Amino acid sequence: MLRRLIVIVTAAILFSNSLTLAQTKKPKPPDKFPPSPLEITTPDPLLPRLPNDKEPLTLQERQNLEPALDALNQEAAAKLQAGEPVAALEIWNRELRLRRFLGSFAEVQALSRVGAIAWNQNDAQEVQYITQRLQAIQKQAQSQKTTAQIDLELWRSLGQAYQNVRSPKLALEAYDQVLLVVRQQQDTTAVVETLKIIGELHLSWFDYPKAAPIYEELLSLATSQGERLNEVTYLQRLTYIYEQSQQLQQSLNVLNKLVEIYINENNLTEIPGLKLAIASDYESLAKKDPNLLLEAFKNYQEAYTTAWQLQEYVRAGEALQKLIALYRSQGQTDEALQASQILVQTQAQAANFYGMMQAYDQIGQLYLERKEFPQALTAFQKGLELAQQLKHEEAYFTGQIKKLSKANF
């Protein structure tokens, strides 16, 4: 009996110890990404020996390897086309592992190509592997200390590859390196091309504060070289950038430059739209400085006048509507009424019957503010005639007329 009790107690102690041990050994969390297939070092039939710095590929080995890797790329593309993305990426990864032995530039180009495919396939793991490999190549390239040793084509290729895997910050690092070198080389053409890429990258990620100085520099270069077409293009980009970032004074500077250019070229078609934008900026700035309201009025009027002369009646109507709203906000009812009467004529020229109906409603409301009820009634009646033709808002105008008909003028 005692022996049996000893066995039971011993078993309980052992069980307790094993349980404690199991609790203390917590399972390791799984890696976010498995080991990269691009780092596998298993020998490949296409490359029986692994080259190194002391014994790189011979010319004959390169000539044999390049077409074989091109064939792998085609095979992978065919697999993807056949609806086998996993098998396709396995083949592409094999190609990428071997491409590195043809040099960094060849490898980066291949990584860029496969990276774009992986992104389109929503394969986050593959994108991660490729990005990591690109960073490793970049780190190696950064070890080059002097400008003369920097491989510009490699850095440009790195920038494009990072774009393909949607890593804008890394892409910008690569293009900044390119820009640094081409500036030192005083290669103006390359500077412009690199700045354009950097600017587009900032814009694609809505980084307007960083995009602005890039396009300002491009504008300065275009102006100094007399490139009028590029100058206009960069001014238009800056207009958009400053509008999006609410930098109104900078926006005004750019818009006025565009107006000056178009007037000098006798290209008045663009003027109404620019004047509307200028007036809008002044109207916003007038919230802090009321004296700027005069500039807003002036530019809305110029937008209307130019549009009317060009027979752009839709744009003329837009300018009048903005002008009327501004008059009303300042309590200038007489001026708002006068502009509204002109708006009716403008909308008639544009054959915009809906716009005419709205203009009559606006006139009616303005007369109501002035307590000139007969004139208001007339305006609402004209609005009703148009509403009946359009079969739209008839009940509204009928209601307004009934209210006024019951009133004692």
Side-chain angles (χ1 to χ4, degrees), residues 242-243 246-253 280-281 284-285:
Y242 290 135
E243 177 187 337
Q246 290 295 298
Q247 293 178 270
L248 300 181
Q249 190 56 60
Q250 291 89 333
S251 174
L252 280 170
N253 295 339
S280 178
D281 284 348
S284 297
L285 286 170

Side-chain angles (χ1 to χ4, degrees), residues 317-329 333 335-344 347 354-370 375-376 378-380 382-383 393 396-397 400:
E318 183 182 350
L320 280 171
Q321 286 168 339
K322 296 282 188 180
L323 190 57
I324 292 163
L326 189 54
Y327 279 135
R328 295 187 73 174
S329 72
T333 309
E335 290 82 356
L337 259 174
Q338 186 179 1
S340 296
Q341 297 288 358
I342 298 171
L343 179 60
V344 171
Q347 300 290 28
Y354 181 79
M356 288 176 66
M357 180 188 74
Q358 288 184 314
Y360 278 124
D361 178 38
Q362 189 165 248
I363 291 169
Q365 296 296 336
L366 285 166
Y367 276 125
L368 284 177
E369 289 177 20
R370 291 159 56 107
Q375 293 89 333
T378 301
F380 287 130
K382 289 180 179 178
E393 294 191 3
Y396 166 76
F397 282 101
Q400 293 289 351

Side-chain angles (χ1 to χ4, degrees), residues 217-234:
E217 183 176 353
L218 284 167
L219 173 63
S220 178
L221 288 168
T223 303
S224 65
Q225 294 169 10
E227 297 175 348
R228 187 59 54 140
L229 188 60
N230 286 333
E231 189 178 358
V232 169
T233 299
Y234 301 140

Side-chain angles (χ1 to χ4, degrees), residues 2 12 19 33 54 154 193 212 231 236 238 251 267 324 354 364 383 399:
L2 180 60
L19 182 61
F33 290 101
K54 293 182 179 179
L154 173 61
E193 289 306 311
E231 189 178 358
Q236 289 171 338
L238 284 166
S251 174
N267 180 7
I324 292 163
Y354 181 79

Side-chain angles (χ1 to χ4, degrees), residues 15-208:
F15 177 77
S16 175
N17 289 340
S18 64
L19 182 61
T20 303
L21 186 62
Q23 288 174 340
T24 56
K25 288 188 176 181
K26 295 181 180 179
K28 292 182 179 180
D31 292 336
K32 187 175 181 181
F33 290 101
S36 173
L38 303 183
E39 303 303 328
I40 295 173
T41 56
T42 306
D44 190 286
L46 291 176
L47 199 62
R49 74 174 184 88
L50 289 179
N52 53 47
D53 293 337
K54 293 182 179 179
E55 295 184 39
L57 288 178
T58 65
L59 178 60
Q60 186 60 52
E61 286 173 327
R62 289 182 67 91
Q63 290 175 343
N64 292 337
L65 185 59
E66 286 177 1
L69 296 184
D70 292 339
L72 284 180
N73 176 37
Q74 293 174 3
E75 182 185 350
K79 288 284 186 183
L80 185 64
Q81 186 69 26
E84 301 178 51
V86 175
L89 279 173
E90 285 179 0
I91 297 169
W92 268 315
N93 284 333
R94 181 187 176 197
E95 178 208 347
L96 294 176
R97 287 195 296 271
L98 295 172
R99 281 281 180 192
R100 72 171 62 185
F101 298 110
L102 295 177
S104 295
F105 182 66
E107 183 185 1
V108 169
Q109 285 190 309
L111 288 164
S112 180
R113 165 171 45 82
V114 179
I117 295 167
W119 176 267
N120 290 331
Q121 292 293 312
N122 296 317
D123 192 327
Q125 276 194 354
E126 184 68 19
V127 168
Q128 178 77 354
Y129 298 144
I130 289 173
T131 304
Q132 288 173 346
R133 180 57 193 156
L134 288 169
Q135 287 178 288
I137 296 170
Q138 179 179 340
K139 186 176 180 180
Q140 183 181 12
Q142 283 170 334
S143 66
Q144 302 290 342
K145 298 298 182 184
T146 66
T147 301
Q149 292 174 314
I150 290 174
D151 186 341
L152 279 177
E153 288 308 308
L154 173 61
W155 281 96
R156 288 189 178 107
S157 188
L158 276 167
Q160 183 60 58
Y162 284 132
Q163 284 182 263
N164 286 351
V165 293
R166 305 308 191 274
S167 293
K169 290 183 179 179
L170 293 171
L172 285 166
E173 285 180 18
Y175 287 119
D176 283 341
Q177 182 66 58
V178 173
L179 184 61
L180 177 66
V181 176
V182 294
R183 281 194 199 281
Q184 292 173 347
Q185 293 176 347
Q186 298 184 346
D187 186 343
T188 305
T189 302
V191 168
V192 169
E193 289 306 311
T194 308
L195 284 171
K196 285 163 68 174
I197 294 171
I198 292 171
E200 288 298 323
L201 264 173
H202 286 311
L203 280 182
S204 67
W205 293 91
F206 312 108
D207 195 343
Y208 303 116

Side-chain angles (χ1 to χ4, degrees), residues 284-304:
S284 297
L285 286 170
K287 293 173 184 176
K288 292 185 178 180
D289 183 359
N291 292 325
L292 295 176
L293 270 178
L294 291 175
E295 291 295 329
F297 279 120
K298 173 188 168 185
N299 281 279
Y300 280 135
Q301 289 164 348
E302 290 176 357
Y304 161 73

